[in-house]
Amino acid sequence: MHSHHSHSGSFCQHAAGALEEVVLEAIKKGFKVYGLSEHVPRYRERDLYPEEYNFGVENLSKQFDAYVAEANRLKEAYADKITLLVGAETDFITDLDYSALHSLLDKHGDSVEYLVGSVHHVNELPIDFDRDTWQQCLSSFSAGSADGMDLDEEEPPYTAYLSSYFDSQFTFMERFRPEVIGHFDLCRLYVPLMRLNNPKYHGIWAKVERNIDFAIGYGACFELNAAAFRKGWKDAYPGEDVLKLIISKGGRLCLSDDSHGPAAVGLNFHLLYDYMVRMDVRELWYLERCDERNVAGRKVRAVQYNGDWKEDPFWSQFGPELERGV
C-alpha cells in the first residue's frame, strides 16, 4: 500500500521523531510506496508559528535544503525495502510564496519529485493551527464583504471565507499543477458537519466543482487523508459530499497518513479503509517515477492500483475489525 504525505521532527517543528525513524516505521508497517513531503519554507517573520519564533525565516529555508538532501539519501539507502518519493507540501499566503516556490523548485530540480498542493492560510491567517486562530481568520471577513455574500449578521462570514479558500486552491493548481491535492476541504476542519453544497453558501459548490474539474483535467490525485480522524472527524478528508463528487467525475484517489512522526505512520488507516468501503471507492492510484516529464515538468506519474485494493495484504495487520465490504 502507499501514502503520499508525511512529516518528521527532523524538519518540522510541530512534528516528532527523525525522518529516518519515519521511513523505518513505514517499512515495518508494510508500505510499498511512501511519500516524504516536508513543508516548504515560509518567508515572512509574521507567518512563523509559535514553535518557530526562535528559529527564524532564514533557518526554515536552510532546513528545507537539509531535508531534500536527507530524503534523497534515505531514498537510496532503503531502495531495496521501500520506494520513497521525495516531495514537498506547499502553501499559499501571499504572492511571495508563489515566486519563492518557483525559485525553490528551480534550485532543487529533480531532487523534489512531486508536490502536495495544500492551503493552510486564508486572508494571510492560519486555518488549522488552533480554533482561536481560525476564528480570527473568520472575523477578518466582514459581513457582506465579498460581493454581497454573508449578509446575515447572525451567521459567521463562511461564504466569503470558503470562497477565498477555494480561489487560493484553484490559483495554486493553475500555477504549479501539484500531483497530489492535499486535504481538499481543510477549510472546514473546525466545522466538520458543514456541507459545502448547502445553497446558503452561495457559489461555493460551483467553486468546489471547478477545482475538482481542473485537477482531474491535468491528472492530479486527490488524497484520502487519514489525519482527519485524529482531528475528531468521522470521515477522512475530503468529507462525504466532496468525495462523492470526485468519484462521480472519475477523479483519481490516493492515500495519505499525513503523519507527523513515526507514531502516526499508517495511523487510522483501518478507519480510512472503512470509510472507503462505506463510500464505495473502487479505484486507488499512487505515484511512481518515470522517465518522461509530466505536465508540471516533474518525473512522476499516477498509476492505478492493480486489482482489488481491499485484498492487499497490507490490511491484514488491522485484523477482523475492518469492514470487509461484504
Side-chain angles (χ1 to χ4, degrees):
M1 202 40 67
H2 57 269
S3 177
H4 295 83
H5 185 166
S6 65
H7 305 278
S8 73
S10 296
F11 305 105
C12 175
Q13 276 63 43
H14 60 269
L19 184 60
E20 188 161 9
E21 292 175 326
V22 170
V23 170
L24 291 172
E25 187 64 21
I27 294 169
K28 179 181 176 182
K29 290 284 176 63
F31 283 99
K32 301 300 183 186
V33 176
Y34 200 80
L36 310 176
S37 60
E38 299 287 11
H39 294 284
V40 298
R42 274 153 284 110
Y43 299 96
R44 303 186 305 175
E45 294 288 337
R46 61 174 289 184
D47 297 325
L48 298 180
Y49 293 112
E51 66 269 17
E52 298 168 338
Y53 289 164
N54 295 325
F55 197 65
V57 168
E58 183 177 349
N59 283 329
L60 280 183
S61 292
K62 292 178 179 178
Q63 176 180 261
F64 186 82
D65 293 344
Y67 153 67
V68 174
E70 174 66 356
N72 277 279
R73 182 189 75 81
L74 294 171
K75 178 178 73 174
E76 299 301 326
Y78 293 101
D80 61 334
K81 297 180 175 65
I82 193 170
T83 297
L84 296 176
L85 299 173
V86 180
E89 185 181 13
T90 66
D91 199 5
F92 164 70
I93 307 173
T94 71
D95 283 341
L96 173 61
D97 298 284
Y98 285 144
S99 59
L101 181 57
H102 275 297
S103 298
L104 191 73
L105 295 176
D106 286 344
K107 175 181 180 180
H108 289 289
D110 291 340
S111 293
V112 174
E113 298 177 293
Y114 76 102
L115 296 181
V116 178
S118 301
V119 176
H120 301 93
H121 292 73
V122 174
N123 246 13
E124 301 185 23
L125 293 167
I127 63 171
D128 65 335
F129 179 72
D130 59 26
R131 182 178 287 273
D132 287 344
T133 309
W134 172 72
Q135 290 281 6
Q136 292 175 29
C137 178
L138 268 184
S139 298
S140 71
F141 292 91
S142 60
S145 61
D147 297 326
M149 295 186 286
D150 297 311
L151 295 177
D152 184 357
E153 294 183 1
E154 300 297 320
E155 172 80 5
Y158 286 132
T159 305
Y161 160 73
L162 294 170
S163 180
S164 180
Y165 175 88
F166 286 113
D167 284 348
S168 292
Q169 186 181 68
F170 182 72
T171 300
F172 187 85
M173 289 191 296
E174 277 191 312
R175 296 192 185 187
F176 291 97
R177 304 296 201 274
E179 287 81 3
V180 176
I181 309 302
H183 33 60
F184 183 95
D185 52 353
L186 184 68
C187 53
R188 55 179 171 183
L189 169 61
Y190 295 109
V191 280
L193 298 182
M194 170 186 281
R195 288 296 166 257
L196 297 173
N197 55 5
N198 189 324
K200 74 177 181 178
Y201 307 131
H202 180 69
I204 296 306
W205 194 241
K207 293 191 176 190
V208 169
E209 189 164 10
R210 172 200 64 188
N211 291 10
I212 290 172
D213 287 341
F214 186 82
I216 290 173
Y218 74 82
C221 291
F222 301 88
E223 68 171 8
L224 290 163
N225 185 318
F229 297 115
R230 60 181 167 85
K231 301 284 188 177
W233 281 35
K234 69 176 183 65
D235 303 334
Y237 307 118
E240 286 190 9
D241 51 350
V242 174
L243 181 54
K244 286 178 181 177
L245 185 60
I246 293 171
I247 292 172
S248 73
K249 290 176 172 290
R252 297 171 174 176
L253 300 171
C254 68
L255 304 184
S256 293
D257 59 23
D258 198 352
S259 60
H260 280 64
V265 171
L267 183 64
N268 291 322
F269 259 45
H270 65 293
L271 298 178
L272 186 59
Y273 178 105
D274 292 346
Y275 181 50
M276 291 190 291
V277 169
R278 174 159 51 91
M279 296 299 295
D280 196 24
V281 172
R282 301 187 180 184
E283 295 180 359
L284 288 179
W285 296 70
Y286 61 95
L287 297 182
E288 71 171 14
R289 293 186 190 91
C290 59
D291 293 330
E292 295 183 2
R293 297 191 182 276
N294 62 24
V295 66
R298 293 180 285 271
K299 291 185 176 182
V300 293
R301 63 184 177 191
V303 294
Q304 187 175 344
Y305 180 90
N306 185 25
D308 184 352
W309 62 264
K310 294 189 293 296
E311 299 303 319
D312 193 289
F314 172 86
W315 303 109
S316 63
Q317 65 189 286
F318 299 109
E321 69 269 22
L322 293 181
E323 295 178 7
R324 293 292 178 180
V326 295

